[in-house]
Amino acid sequence: MDLKAWFMLVRPFTLIAPFMAIMFGCILQLAIYGEMAYFWSNFSIILIASVALAAAQAVGQIMNQVEDVEIDRANGKDYRPIASGRITTESAQILAWVFAIFAILVGFSINIYYGSFMVIFILSGILYNIEPFRLKKRLWVNTGSLALSRGLLPLPAAWSLFGNVTDAEPWLIGSVMAIWVLGWQNTKDITDVEGDRKYGMMTPVVYHGIEHLSWIITALSFLSFFLLALYIKMGLLSSDMYPLFILAIPTAWMTYKLLKMRFERSSLENNELWAGFYLTLAGFYIIAAATYLIQPYITLFG
C-alpha cells in the first residue's frame, strides 16, 4: 500500500484551518463565557470534534480529485494520487464515505447542532464537486459556497459544542472571514486556468482574468477588515477583537505578491498564495482566541 499517496489524497495542509477552527473556536467561546476551566475537562470532546471537521473537509478534497481527474492532468497536477493512477476513484470514494460517516457520527454524538453542522459541511463539499449540482463550474457561486462553508460556518460550529449557537459573536466574526475567503479562496485556481477553461469550470480567474481578479480580491480584503472595524465601532464586537487586524499584514503581503504576479509554486502543492490563504485563515481563530486568553493578564499588569 502506498501510504504517501493516501496521505496526499486528503491534502492534509488544507485540514489545518478547520481543525484550528474548532480547537481555538472552543477556546474563544469558553473564554468569552468565563468558563475556561472546562477546557481541559472536555479536551477529548474538543479534540475529536476538531478531527471531525477536518474529516468533513477531507471529504470535499477527495471528491474534488475523484471528479477532476482529467482537469488535474490538464493542469499539470498528475502528481495527485488519482490522476497518477496510484489510487483508484472507487477506493478514494470509499475513503470519502468513511470520513463522512465518521464526521456525522461524531457530530451527533456531541449534540444535534454540531451533527447538523457536519452534515452541512459534507453536503457543501459534495454539491461543489458532483453533477448535477457541480457548483464548481458556476461563476462566483463556486467561491461563494466555499466562503460560507470555510469562512462563515466553522466558528458557529465550534460555538455549538458548549455555547449558544445563536450568539452574535461567531456569526459576526464568521461574516468577516467569509468575505476574506470569498476573495482569497480564488488563489487555488490561479494556476489551473488552462484545464478549468477547457472543461467548462467558470471560476472567477477564468472569467475575469488574473489581473482583473487581483483587484477584486484586493477590494474584498479591504471590505473584510472594514467590516471588522465597523462591527467593533458599533459595539457589535468587543474591542478585544482589534488584534485581528494583525492579519492585515499577511493579507497585505499576499496582495502585493498578487498584484505584482510575484508568487511561485509552493512545495506543499499549488502556489505560495494558496499556502498563505490557509495559514492566514487559521490565524483568524488562533489570534481571536489568544486575545481573550491574554486579556486578563493585560488588565492585571496594565
Side-chain angles (χ1 to χ4, degrees):
M1 179 183 291
D2 189 344
L3 294 178
K4 182 179 179 180
W6 287 99
F7 185 71
M8 289 177 62
L9 180 65
V10 300
R11 304 182 70 197
F13 185 75
T14 67
L15 308 185
I16 295 173
F19 182 90
M20 294 297 186
I22 303 303
M23 180 63 66
F24 285 90
C26 284
I27 292 175
L28 176 61
Q29 179 266 311
L30 290 172
I32 288 177
Y33 277 41
E35 297 176 348
M36 273 304 298
Y38 293 105
F39 178 76
W40 290 111
S41 60
N42 291 283
F43 181 74
S44 60
I45 295 175
I46 297 171
L47 179 61
I48 194 68
S50 302
V51 173
L53 183 55
Q57 174 139 328
V59 173
Q61 299 291 1
I62 294 171
M63 292 309 299
N64 179 260
Q65 294 172 75
V66 167
E67 297 296 325
D68 287 3
V69 177
E70 295 305 321
I71 298 177
D72 282 344
R73 289 171 180 161
N75 286 326
K77 293 183 177 180
D78 47 8
Y79 55 83
R80 285 184 170 177
I82 299 177
S84 64
R86 287 176 291 167
I87 295 177
T88 65
T89 56
E90 293 78 9
S91 298
Q93 286 174 321
I94 291 172
L95 182 61
W97 273 107
V98 170
F99 279 135
I101 292 169
F102 167 78
I104 291 171
L105 289 178
V106 168
F108 281 108
S109 72
I110 293 174
N111 61 53
I112 190 171
Y113 299 107
Y114 197 64
S116 298
F117 274 114
M118 291 301 101
V119 172
I120 293 171
F121 288 126
I122 291 168
L123 282 177
S124 297
I126 292 173
L127 296 179
Y128 182 82
N129 289 295
I130 68 169
E131 297 289 359
F133 310 100
R134 193 67 155 147
L135 300 183
K136 180 177 180 178
K137 68 182 182 183
R138 308 183 193 283
L139 180 63
W140 283 109
V141 174
N142 39 33
T143 311
S145 67
L146 295 176
L148 293 176
S149 62
R150 297 180 181 179
L152 177 64
L153 296 179
L155 196 54
W159 223 263
S160 73
L161 265 69
F162 307 112
N164 186 343
V165 75
T166 64
D167 286 349
E169 288 95 334
W171 296 99
L172 292 172
I173 298 172
S175 67
V176 171
M177 296 176 65
I179 294 175
W180 191 88
V181 170
L182 183 63
W184 289 104
Q185 181 70 61
N186 288 290
T187 55
K188 72 180 179 61
D189 299 318
I190 288 175
T191 55
D192 296 346
V193 173
E194 182 179 344
D196 286 347
R197 181 182 289 117
K198 179 179 179 181
Y199 288 94
M201 299 298 110
M202 192 53 63
T203 63
V205 67
V206 168
Y207 182 82
H208 296 288
I210 189 168
E211 184 175 349
H212 187 192
L213 181 62
S214 297
W215 289 106
I216 295 175
I217 293 173
T218 301
L220 289 170
S221 299
F222 174 81
L223 180 60
S224 65
F225 287 106
F226 173 79
L227 189 61
L228 175 61
L230 185 63
Y231 286 157
I232 295 174
K233 180 68 175 179
M234 294 175 64
L236 298 174
L237 282 177
S238 168
S239 59
D240 292 337
M241 287 293 102
Y242 270 123
L244 284 176
F245 284 101
I246 293 172
L247 295 170
I249 298 174
T251 300
W253 172 81
M254 292 162 63
T255 302
Y256 173 79
K257 289 275 190 175
L258 181 62
L259 293 175
K260 293 292 185 179
M261 299 297 143
R262 295 178 180 174
F263 53 88
E264 301 174 352
R265 182 175 290 276
S266 168
S267 59
L268 296 167
E269 192 186 340
N270 216 302
N271 60 75
E272 62 180 321
L273 293 182
W274 171 87
F277 160 71
Y278 274 106
L279 291 174
T280 307
L281 182 60
F284 274 96
Y285 305 111
I286 296 170
I287 291 176
T291 296
Y292 269 89
L293 285 177
I294 66 174
Q295 190 61 38
Y297 300 99
I298 295 175
T299 303
L300 179 65
F301 296 105

